[in-house]
Amino acid sequence: MQKILNYINGELVEPISKKYLENINPATGQIYSQCPDSDERDIELAVKSAESAIDSWSNMSASDRSKIMLTLAGLMERDLDKLAIAESIDQGKPLWLAKNGEIPRAISNIHFFATGIEHFSSESHSMGKHAINYTLRAPIGIVGCISPWNLPLYLFTWKIAPAIAAGNCVIAKPSEITPMTAFLFAELCIEAGLPKGVLNIVNGLGPKVGSAIVSHEKITAISFTGGTKTGEEIARVAGPKFKKLSLELGGKNPNIVFADCNFEKAVSESVRASFTNQGEICLCGSRIFIERSIYEKFKTEFVKQTAKLKVGNPLAEDTKVGAIASQQHFDKILSYIELAKQEGGKLLFGGNTVKLEGENATGFFILPTVFENLPFDCKTNQEEIFGPLVTLIPFDTEDDVLTMANSTQFGLSCTIWTENLARAHNIAAKVKSGIVWVNCWLLRDLRTPFGGMKSSGVGREGGLEAFRFFTETKNVCVKL
Ligand code: NAD
């Protein structure tokens, strides 16, 4: 059975405890590899290694750091198929999605920040003949990056790429549920010649090794993506230590469909926004608000297209919906299906597990599920489920839909379907979300600010925002 190892000081090493966690293939429910069960001793080693690397890495020219990262991106490109298969097996997502979406995006993350750092500059503020101010942006030092299981390598690289490009050394922790591609990535870092200690990957449980990263005195900034509750805990520990914090948390995103939309596009993209990656994307639109005059027509077509999505073995070409990432998450989604029924929801499609054949008979599969007839303020419509479960809700006016859309504690993303430009701008300005898509979904430009309002997070990632987060700002005022 394959043993995943930590990557510390440029080497692949066992955890000090020599203990391992079972890593399960969600499409079979079987253990298929072992993940280090690291603890604070491994974090201590990683910090020591980062300390010995920080001077030379932060003083290296941006273009030299960039060259090493571009070599790494090239190696990822070479191994794209291998990484995609590993991601699909580890996470449960369809292989085509990993191959065409996530792994290419992980490569883009490295490429984007490797080239971006060569264009990064800071400001100066002239006070005429009196003085000149200039801003220095220096690497912070040692930073912690903690990522979740839904888009494993994609979100892992989204954090570490700007951190190391900006000259920091990183202690990173992938999710214990999906540690495989970060391990393959570590092998590529060695092959690319990334200097030892620049990136250290320590695997294990969140409350054990994750919290050791958050509380370590020498790790002065934390970039975290994951659940809102975990974000709260991280803020509780890191806040009093005055660490720089970037928190990308949960969502319960509204998808608003007006009667004047391009109907075909709105339906097919809403299906995609609901069930891609089994609905396990923080940006999925799980509450679909439909203007009453087209509600029945939209519902019929939406359910028809949902029914065509094939749930199956993630490695099969025709699978549209793969396995739920873990038994625990599978149970959580099933409990929300029961809750939706108890709250009076009318099941329009799905609502059941799927029993596949052969080795997939013990996998974690759930049919895409659609409910209607649930009030906007019930638990099903307020809490993040993070699975293939959506609700359809009719609305009458722009004000009504805004009240309902803004009613949750979350504020990550929103999608608007309308051909009326003035209306699109009006809703975009008033909806409380960090990201708004008009007539599209998940169309990403890596230069744009990414992040959520309210309980969906603090801070923004992407483009210059990421470089600003991963650097310390200092103003120097020179009297002339
Ligand atoms: P999670 O919060 O359980 O875990 C995320 C990471 O934090 C994992 O690596 C975990 O081991 C670690 N962790 C857990 N407890 C910790 C602690 N006390 N201290 C430090 N680290 C700890 O989240 P998850 O279940 O892996 O991911 C799903 C969640 O992530 C959903 O809520 C989803 O919306 C959110 N998410 C948000 C975004 C975004 O960009 N806003 C993107 C993807 C996922």
Side-chain angles (χ1 to χ4, degrees):
M1 186 167 301
Q2 188 174 5
K3 244 186 200 177
I4 288 166
L5 297 170
N6 288 335
Y7 170 52
I8 297 176
N9 204 27
E11 287 176 14
L12 299 172
V13 295
E14 294 211 68
I16 291 173
S17 67
K18 302 273 190 294
K19 286 189 191 151
Y20 287 82
L21 306 163
E22 293 171 343
N23 188 25
I24 289 167
N25 173 347
T28 63
Q30 306 302 314
I31 304 162
Y32 86 104
S33 64
Q34 292 180 308
C35 169
D37 182 6
S38 313
D39 57 38
E40 70 283 355
R41 293 172 295 170
D42 302 281
I43 295 298
E44 204 52 58
L45 274 188
V47 169
K48 284 215 167 71
S49 127
E51 276 185 308
S52 60
I54 190 65
D55 280 351
S56 61
W57 184 248
S58 60
N59 287 317
M60 188 184 276
S61 71
S63 67
D64 283 348
R65 289 199 298 265
S66 174
K67 267 187 215 135
I68 296 171
M69 290 179 70
L70 290 174
T71 304
L72 178 58
L75 294 174
M76 291 170 79
E77 190 84 52
R78 181 197 70 191
D79 285 1
L80 194 154
D81 284 355
K82 179 179 169 188
L83 291 165
I85 291 170
E87 199 74 298
S88 174
I89 293 172
D90 210 23
Q91 202 274 344
K93 67 184 73 261
L95 178 56
W96 60 263
L97 184 59
K99 220 180 224 178
N100 302 315
E102 290 189 37
I103 302 303
R105 167 59 196 275
I107 298 167
S108 298
N109 289 340
I110 302 291
H111 194 274
F112 175 82
F113 287 109
T115 50
I117 196 63
E118 295 213 72
H119 303 264
F120 187 49
S121 58
S122 60
E123 308 81 32
S124 81
H125 299 86
S126 166
M127 296 170 76
K129 61 181 183 194
H130 304 296
I132 176 97
N133 294 274
Y134 61 88
T135 307
L136 292 174
R137 292 189 194 278
I140 296 174
I142 306 176
V143 302
C145 296
I146 302 175
S147 51
W149 51 255
N150 64 321
L151 305 170
L153 194 62
Y154 173 134
L155 288 171
F156 185 78
T157 50
W158 180 236
K159 293 190 173 303
I160 63 157
I164 62 175
N168 300 285
C169 289
V170 175
I171 316 295
K173 192 193 100 59
S175 170
E176 60 275 28
I177 295 165
T178 52
M180 186 57 84
T181 46
F183 174 56
L184 300 178
F185 180 78
E187 293 180 331
L188 297 182
C189 289
I190 296 171
E191 193 180 340
L194 187 70
K196 57 186 188 179
V198 170
L199 172 65
N200 301 276
I201 304 175
V202 187
N203 291 278
L205 298 169
K208 201 184 204 175
V209 75
S211 69
I213 293 175
V214 176
S215 58
H216 199 290
E217 298 294 337
K218 290 187 173 156
I219 302 177
T220 49
I222 304 288
S223 174
F224 168 78
T225 299
T228 294
K229 279 226 139 47
T230 315
E232 266 174 43
E233 170 63 14
I234 288 174
R236 197 185 60 74
V237 176
K241 294 178 189 288
F242 305 112
K243 295 190 183 207
K244 220 174 172 184
L245 268 186
S246 170
L247 302 173
E248 299 294 338
L249 311 175
K252 185 76 176 176
N253 309 306
N255 180 11
I256 305 174
V257 185
F258 285 97
D260 63 8
C261 67
N262 174 329
F263 186 79
E264 279 72 36
K265 216 172 187 179
V267 177
S268 62
E269 283 294 281
S270 295
V271 171
R272 198 170 74 86
S274 300
F275 303 118
T276 299
N277 205 43
Q278 303 72 245
E280 296 164 334
I281 301 182
C282 55
L283 306 162
C284 277
S286 50
R287 296 178 295 149
I288 309 180
F289 297 101
I290 306 139
E291 196 165 354
R292 202 176 296 279
S293 60
I294 61 160
Y295 183 82
E296 290 301 322
K297 183 177 166 204
F298 184 96
K299 175 172 99 179
T300 307
E301 192 53 34
F302 184 87
V303 171
K304 195 167 126 197
Q305 291 190 23
T306 299
K308 285 190 190 147
L309 299 174
K310 183 163 183 256
V311 180
N313 180 345
L315 298 175
E317 265 177 32
D318 58 347
T319 290
K320 289 284 181 283
V321 177
I324 302 300
S326 69
Q327 171 89 59
Q328 194 190 9
H329 195 53
F330 177 77
D331 293 341
K332 176 184 160 184
I333 296 166
L334 293 179
S335 77
Y336 272 102
I337 291 175
E338 280 317 303
L339 176 72
K341 289 179 188 162
Q342 281 163 23
E343 290 187 314
K346 179 175 169 202
L347 185 64
L348 297 174
F349 189 78
N352 255 321
T353 57
V354 180
K355 196 91 182 142
L356 297 181
E357 295 190 336
E359 63 169 11
N360 298 120
T362 41
F364 314 135
F365 298 93
I366 297 180
L367 272 176
T369 295
V370 187
F371 277 98
E372 68 169 353
N373 204 28
L374 281 161
F376 77 91
D377 54 356
C378 71
K379 275 188 167 183
T380 309
N381 275 329
Q382 291 290 315
E383 296 178 6
E384 183 183 45
I385 300 170
F386 210 52
L389 190 167
V390 298
T391 58
L392 307 187
I393 306 163
F395 71 88
D396 293 303
T397 66
E398 283 184 24
D399 282 349
D400 284 351
V401 79
L402 272 168
T403 302
M404 296 192 282
N406 288 336
S407 66
T408 72
Q409 63 163 316
F410 300 105
L412 189 54
S413 74
C414 169
T415 304
I416 303 164
W417 297 96
T418 178
E419 294 294 298
N420 178 336
L421 201 56
R423 165 180 276 162
H425 287 305
N426 180 41
I427 302 286
K430 290 180 177 163
V431 76
K432 292 195 168 58
S433 309
I435 302 149
V436 180
W437 279 293
V438 179
N439 296 329
C440 58
W441 177 70
L442 204 46
L443 185 55
R444 293 278 294 116
D445 179 330
L446 304 191
R447 293 169 301 176
T448 60
F450 179 92
M453 298 180 180
K454 302 196 277 182
S455 302
S456 288
V458 176
R460 294 292 181 271
E461 298 185 330
L464 295 179
E465 303 277 348
F467 284 139
R468 288 188 185 126
F469 176 76
F470 284 115
T471 49
E472 193 70 82
T473 309
K474 183 188 287 174
N475 187 68
V476 181
C477 178
V478 183
K479 183 149 177 18
L480 300 177

